[in-house]
Amino acid sequence: MRIDIISCVPQLLVSPFEHSILKRGQAAGVIEVEVHNLRDYSTSKQKQTDDYAFGGGAGMVMMIEPIENCINSLKAKRSYDAVIYTTPDGELFDQQKANQFSLLENIIILCGHYKGVDERVRQHLITHEISIGDYVLSGGELAAAVIADAVFRLVPGVMNDETSALTDSFQDGLLAPPVYTRPAVYNGWEVPSVLSSGHQGKIEEWRHEQSLQRTRERRPDLYSKLTDFQFVTK
Ligand code: 6GU
């Protein structure tokens, strides 16, 4: 899977893809990410990418021309399944959306900035408008990194069995159970005895109970959506 990210601050998007799981996924050749500097697609002498808003008011607006130039140059090389625009007024990103995007071959993410993009970009060039939560970021770059991370880690071959995406919180509608590692006692604080009982059936049962309890206490909204099926599985 390939993600092309269009940004006017591409430096913000270097580090997130150069470490750990996403670095290995790229080395393995199963995911590809390329960040494009919107300025490179401006046709003005000053490499302008934003301009004053028609009708006045504070805040600059991202111009349509450099954005269309960049998207067109990408589309000339391959076809894209989605062109995502990161914006606080977009649809809320969640695990279900991450799952859906992870099944696509090539996607573009356009990072919003300033007062946003010229509305005609949204009308004619964008297929999905996505927000990562109800708070305002100074730009869409960190949101793009969040989306790319959540999507890439679901691509087969990016994670090994140990870090399998299938045991994540949310993947089955439940929060993940607590985990422990050595030492078994620290400052007198003990690890639940069932975990060192060696009884795998009891351990799985305990983990499922813990997941249910956590979800009920911390996310009643998720808990109320659970089906009978989710109560008995695992
Ligand atoms: Cl996608 N962009 C910005 N600028 N702020 C946000 C956001 C996106 N999602 C939540 N807040």
Side-chain angles (χ1 to χ4, degrees), residues 86-88 130-133 135-137 139 143:
T86 60
T87 175
I130 300 289
S131 163
I132 63 162
Y135 40 81
V136 180
L137 302 171

Side-chain angles (χ1 to χ4, degrees), residues 43-222:
T43 51
S44 75
K45 228 188 261 159
Q46 312 87 329
K47 297 292 168 197
Q48 190 181 358
T49 58
D50 60 337
D51 207 339
Y52 297 101
F54 273 121
M60 303 294 275
V61 177
M62 289 171 72
M63 300 158 69
I64 188 166
E65 194 195 20
I67 294 171
E68 192 188 31
N69 288 346
C70 184
I71 291 176
N72 282 347
S73 92
L74 289 172
K75 285 183 173 172
K77 296 192 190 108
R78 62 192 73 78
S79 65
Y80 286 89
D81 308 300
V83 184
I84 298 167
Y85 171 55
T86 60
T87 175
D89 62 3
E91 271 187 67
L92 272 184
F93 188 62
D94 60 10
Q95 191 61 45
Q96 194 191 331
K97 283 202 170 61
N99 293 347
Q100 288 165 357
F101 289 148
S102 76
L103 299 173
L104 305 178
E105 202 56 50
N106 300 311
I107 70 183
I108 292 172
I109 305 179
L110 169 66
C111 302
H113 247 268
Y114 318 110
K115 275 281 154 206
V117 291
D118 187 308
E119 187 65 20
R120 293 166 292 184
V121 170
R122 302 172 71 147
Q123 287 169 333
H124 302 291
L125 306 178
I126 295 298
T127 61
H128 299 73
E129 303 182 331
I130 300 289
S131 163
I132 63 162
D134 288 337
Y135 40 81
V136 180
L137 302 171
S138 55
E141 280 75 15
L142 296 182
V146 165
I147 294 165
D149 184 294
V151 170
F152 272 155
R153 62 193 290 288
L154 298 171
V155 173
V158 171
M159 300 214 297
N160 51 36
D161 279 350
E162 242 167 79
T163 51
S164 168
L166 292 174
T167 55
D168 291 339
S169 278
F170 295 112
Q171 203 51 273
D172 53 6
L174 288 169
L175 301 186
V179 293
Y180 298 86
T181 187
R182 291 186 296 179
V185 184
Y186 183 79
N187 281 352
W189 303 324
E190 291 177 14
V191 169
S193 57
V194 60
L195 294 177
S196 28
S197 68
H199 194 306
Q200 208 53 41
K202 284 211 172 103
I203 292 170
E204 290 312 315
E205 194 180 322
W206 179 85
R207 286 183 171 152
H208 187 53
E209 284 303 320
Q210 291 287 316
S211 277
L212 286 171
Q213 188 184 325
R214 282 210 157 172
T215 310
R216 176 162 43 84
E217 287 170 3
R218 300 177 184 201
R219 294 296 303 273
D221 58 316
L222 292 180

